[in-house]
Amino acid sequence: MSEALLVINSGSSSVKFAAYDVLPDEALVRIAHGQIEGIGSAPRLKVWGSAGTALANQAVSISTDPALGPQEAFAQLFGWLRAHAGGRTLRAVGHRVVHGGEQFAQPTRVTPDVLARLDLLSPLARLHQPHNLAAIRAIAALRPGLPQVACFDTEFHTTQDWVAQAYALPRHLSEAGIKRYGFHGLSYEYIASVLPAHLGDVAANGRVVVAHLGNGASLCALQGRRSVASTMGFTALDGLMMGTRCGSLDPGVVLYLMTGLGMSVQAAEQLLYEQSGLLGVSGVSSDMRTVEASGTPHAQQALALYAWRLRLELGGMAAALGGLDALVFTAGIGENSASLRRRACQDASWLGIELDEAANAAPTHGPRRISTAASRVAAWVIPTDEELMIAQRTQAVLQGAAAQEVGASITA
Ligand code: ADP
C-alpha cells in the first residue's frame, strides 16, 4: 500500500498543511495542501489538490463549530485525508518548530521528553512555539503511535561563527544560551538547495543574501550556501520591521516602556510582538497588501520605514559577507510585492544591483531574475517551499539518515 507524509505548520489561529505521496523510490510528490483558518472564531478547512494528481483543482471549504479547538481541527483534517488520499497509509507527520535552542540542532523524532524540553523554549518564540507544540500534542492524542518529527527554524544557522551569534553581554549569559539563533531556517535551507539550479554553481556558492519577507521577516547572509549571519537573533523579534513586530530596537526603549511608562512585562511583550511593525506605524493593517493599497500618510510612512530598515539590514548582511553577488526575495511580500522589491533594489544600487523594471513588474510566478543582464549583482525572486523541506527532513529522520532518535513514539 502506498504511503503519505503530512507536514504541519501551526500558528496561533491557523494551521497550514501539505500532504505528500511517498513514491516507491522514496521521491515526494505533493498531493494537496491547505489550511485550517479561524480556529476559535470561525473555523474553515480549505484544501487544494495539486496539479497532476487525482485531487487536482479541488478546493473544499468546511465551516464547522466556532468552538473548534486544535484537536477537533486535526480530526477534521485526518478525516478529509482518509476520505480523499486514496487509501494511502500515513507514515508520519513533520512539523515546523520555530525554536530548537541549543539542544536541537537536527530534526528530531518527538517523544514526551523532547516535548517537555521544547516547552522550555516557548518564552523565546511566544508567537509560534506554543502553537507548534500544541499541534504535536493534538495529533498525538488523536493518533498515538504515529511518528512525529520536529524540524527547526534555528537549525540552518548553526553553521554561523561564534562572533555572528554572540551578544556583548557578560560571558555567563552567553554560556547560558543567550545568543543569536536566527529563524526562517527551513525557508533558507530550501532556497539554498535550489540556488545552483537558478543562479548557476558559481554564483549560488558565492555571497548571497536571501530576504524572507512574510508576516515575519528576516535576511540571511549565505556563503557557500551556508548561513553566515542573520538579522533575527535570540528571538524572532529582532532585525527587520515586520507585520506586527518592531524589529531592531534600542534595548533602552524596552526598559523605558516599563520603568518610565509603567508598562507591565506582558503589555510590553504584546506591544513589541503584536502591535508594532506595519500595523503599529500605519495604524491600518499588518498586511502589506492592505498597507500598500491604503495611501494614508501613516501608511506611506510605514512603507518608507519598512524599506529603510531593509536597506540598513541588507547593508549589514553585505558587510558580513564582504560584498554581494546575489540578492534573492522570497515569502509572501518578497514573492508578490513588486513595489517593495523595486524600492529595495533601488536602495541597493550602491551595492551593484540594477533592476530590470519590466521583469520585476511582470505578473509571473515561479523563480525569475529581476535584475538586468548588465547588473553586477543578480536579483532574483524564488518562491520558498518550507513544507517540502520539512517533508524531506522528516523522511530522512525516519530512514535513520539524520536521526537523533530519543525513544519511542509519543503518548503525551
Ligand atoms: P507567513 O509569514 O504568515 O507565512 P506569508 O509569507 O504568507 O506570511 O506573507 C504574508 C505577507 O505577504 C502579508 O503581508 C501579505 O500582505 C503579503 N502579500 C501577499 N501577497 C501580496 C501581494 N500581492 N502584494 C503585496 N504583499 C503581498
Side-chain angles (χ1 to χ4, degrees), residues 115-283:
L115 215 40
R117 287 193 274 154
L118 291 174
D119 273 334
L120 300 177
L121 298 169
S122 285
L124 310 191
R126 210 175 63 79
L127 280 192
H128 300 98
Q129 192 93 341
H131 305 293
N132 303 157
L133 303 185
I136 296 175
R137 288 198 162 91
I139 291 175
L142 271 176
R143 295 284 300 271
L146 180 65
Q148 299 198 74
V149 173
C151 301
F152 303 101
D153 263 325
T154 43
E155 176 191 345
F156 187 68
H157 302 293
T158 54
T159 52
Q160 290 179 9
D161 283 344
W162 177 86
V163 76
Q165 296 186 322
Y167 289 117
L169 288 168
R171 194 160 273 278
H172 71 274
L173 291 177
S174 58
E175 283 160 7
I178 300 185
K179 61 175 203 173
R180 304 179 64 88
Y181 289 94
F183 299 90
H184 294 133
L186 293 157
S187 174
Y188 293 131
E189 190 177 355
Y190 172 78
I191 299 289
S193 74
V194 300
L195 277 179
H198 303 303
L199 278 65
D201 268 339
V202 175
N205 286 295
R207 299 162 300 180
V208 179
V209 171
V210 182
H212 177 107
L213 308 176
N215 283 314
S218 69
L219 303 179
C220 182
L222 303 176
Q223 173 87 64
R225 294 192 285 143
R226 289 153 72 90
S227 174
V228 167
S230 166
T231 57
M232 277 183 170
F234 181 59
T235 68
L237 201 53
D238 202 3
L240 299 174
M241 176 170 161
M242 305 177 221
T244 59
R245 283 170 261 171
C246 58
S248 295
L249 191 70
D250 176 350
V253 173
V254 185
L255 299 176
Y256 179 75
L257 291 176
M258 291 185 279
T259 57
L261 300 183
M263 214 175 246
S264 68
V265 175
Q266 289 75 12
E269 190 177 59
Q270 200 179 19
L271 180 94
L272 302 177
Y273 275 98
E274 290 165 23
Q275 298 165 349
S276 299
L278 284 173
L279 174 65
V281 179
S282 72

Side-chain angles (χ1 to χ4, degrees), residues 9 14 16 96 128 184 212-217 243 245 278 285-292 306 330-340 384 386:
N9 180 356
S14 74
K16 293 182 186 166
R96 175 188 183 205
H128 300 98
H184 294 133
H212 177 107
L213 308 176
N215 283 314
R245 283 170 261 171
L278 284 173
S285 174
S286 64
D287 189 292
M288 181 57 96
R289 269 170 301 202
T290 312
V291 178
E292 283 182 344
Y306 191 97
T330 196
I333 297 170
E335 291 168 31
N336 297 299
S337 175
S339 69
L340 184 274
T384 195
E386 290 153 292

Side-chain angles (χ1 to χ4, degrees), residues 378-398:
W380 279 78
V381 178
I382 303 181
T384 195
D385 195 343
E386 290 153 292
E387 285 79 17
L388 178 63
M389 216 63 248
I390 296 168
Q392 289 176 348
R393 303 305 304 272
T394 298
Q395 193 180 26
V397 168
L398 295 181

